[in-house]
Amino acid sequence: MKKILVPVDFSEHSGYALDVASQIAKKHEAGIVILHMLGLSESVMAKSEMEERQEAKYYLDLTKDKIREFTNKESLKDIPLEAIIQNYKDFSEVNYVAEEQNCDLIVIGSHGTSGFSEIFAGSNAEKVVRTSSIPVLVIKKPHEDFQIKKMVFACDLKPENIPAYHKAVAFAQLFSASIEIVFVNTSGANYMGFSDVEHKIRDFNKELGEEAPIKIYNYHSVEKGIFNFCLEHGADLLAIPTHGKRGIAHFFKGSRAEDVANHAKLPVLTIKL
């Protein structure tokens, strides 16, 4: 890992993300790129050229001061640090910056106890998750010592998930963490019998070319099953594949899922398929 992108809005939650990014950067001798989006209003941009320049300069200088204050932390000392200020309004453009800067990871904060419902239901963080071509680590709370000893990769065991699994394994190796796959077998019409599940596992491992550690968890919904499994097995991080602009609605949908996710404490790593 060489470079980490951290979008910030100067909130406490983007501060949590920056703290985690700094810990990862120190462990792996990586640099950090801070991105702030001004999002100047149309009223500013519609003024005369001179007025527009003056007002834009005012906001730019103000932002630079905020960034200096926001990054004045002991934890960031000795870490190569770069700040980028853009007038983007669309958070999907975070991915363009990440690609231009050759970043390996995006670390972003999510707000409060409603964090997961915001991440997966229309928030700025969710937009970053949906459109990012590189892994996104979502942080909800402060981590004084960011340690990952056990990771869970949740998927439906379709071969299309294998590239994302490889990336999750690589991330786990950065922390010398163990990783296992969980497949949630739901009750009702979608329930799969033992032989069908075994066949699904064999096909996945055949495509993978190795015997992956796969656990089957029976539950009435995929969403609750994933989070319950993580809780019961003491997972430090949940990794999930995303279909890009289709988001991760395949895994997270419905009010019950949001209710469970809102109370989840563990970080989430999303990986685009």
Side-chain angles (χ1 to χ4, degrees):
M1 185 172 297
K2 296 180 180 179
K3 198 177 289 188
I4 302 169
L5 180 68
V6 185
V8 302
D9 58 5
F10 309 119
S11 67
E12 62 177 348
H13 296 91
S14 60
Y16 301 157
L18 184 57
D19 286 341
V20 167
S22 69
Q23 293 179 54
I24 297 174
K26 281 186 176 180
K27 287 180 180 178
H28 304 288
E29 299 182 347
I32 292 177
V33 178
I34 291 175
L35 172 64
H36 178 73
M37 296 181 174
L38 281 175
L40 295 179
S41 67
E42 294 296 333
S43 61
V44 172
M45 305 306 290
K47 293 181 179 180
S48 69
E49 186 174 347
M50 181 173 293
E51 288 178 312
E52 180 184 320
R53 286 182 180 178
Q54 290 176 341
E55 193 155 355
K57 184 179 184 303
Y58 168 78
Y59 285 113
L60 183 61
D61 291 341
L62 184 63
T63 300
K64 287 180 179 178
D65 289 339
K66 285 186 176 181
I67 288 176
R68 278 191 288 269
E69 180 182 353
F70 198 71
T71 58
N72 185 24
K73 300 180 179 182
E74 187 69 26
S75 61
L76 291 172
K77 288 186 177 180
D78 302 322
I79 296 177
L81 191 65
E82 180 181 355
I84 296 176
I85 303 171
Q86 298 282 8
N87 189 38
Y88 294 147
K89 296 178 183 178
D90 185 350
F91 267 69
S92 66
E93 298 192 48
V94 170
N95 185 57
Y96 297 138
V97 176
E99 291 181 341
E100 287 173 357
Q101 295 295 316
N102 296 314
C103 294
D104 306 290
L105 176 70
I106 297 173
V107 182
I108 191 167
S110 170
H111 295 273
T113 56
S114 62
F116 272 94
S117 64
E118 291 189 18
I119 293 169
F120 301 128
S123 72
N124 290 329
E126 188 267 347
K127 293 171 187 174
V128 173
V129 165
R130 275 193 290 115
T131 57
S132 177
S133 60
I134 67 173
V136 179
L137 177 62
V138 183
I139 302 297
K140 290 187 63 181
K141 64 185 183 71
H143 294 265
E144 292 184 7
D145 184 17
F146 187 71
Q147 296 277 356
I148 299 175
K149 296 181 180 180
K150 182 180 291 188
M151 279 178 56
V152 168
F153 181 81
C155 74
D156 55 10
L157 296 182
K158 290 181 179 178
E160 65 179 18
N161 293 288
I162 290 176
Y165 174 66
H166 284 312
K167 291 182 180 180
V169 169
F171 192 84
Q173 290 173 344
L174 290 174
F175 296 88
S176 299
S178 65
I179 183 169
E180 59 185 355
I181 300 172
V182 62
F183 169 76
V184 178
N185 191 16
T186 55
S187 57
N190 294 320
Y191 180 78
M192 298 180 67
F194 178 79
S195 61
D196 290 330
V197 172
E198 286 292 301
H199 183 73
K200 197 174 186 70
I201 291 174
R202 282 197 303 271
D203 286 348
F204 185 86
N205 282 332
K206 183 178 179 180
E207 289 289 332
L208 184 63
E210 61 182 273
E211 293 293 318
I214 300 174
K215 297 289 181 66
I216 307 303
Y217 192 78
N218 296 310
Y219 212 77
H220 58 80
S221 73
V222 173
E223 297 84 6
K224 283 192 174 183
I226 290 172
F227 286 103
N228 280 3
F229 181 87
C230 289
L231 180 64
E232 292 175 10
H233 288 75
D236 300 303
L237 184 143
L238 167 63
I240 49 177
T242 168
H243 290 82
K245 291 186 177 180
R246 285 193 286 155
I248 51 177
H250 181 74
F251 293 100
F252 295 90
K253 54 187 176 181
S255 60
R256 287 184 302 179
E258 290 185 1
D259 181 60
V260 173
N262 286 342
H263 296 91
K265 302 295 183 183
L266 77 170
V268 174
L269 181 73
T270 65
I271 305 170
K272 186 175 180 181
L273 294 175

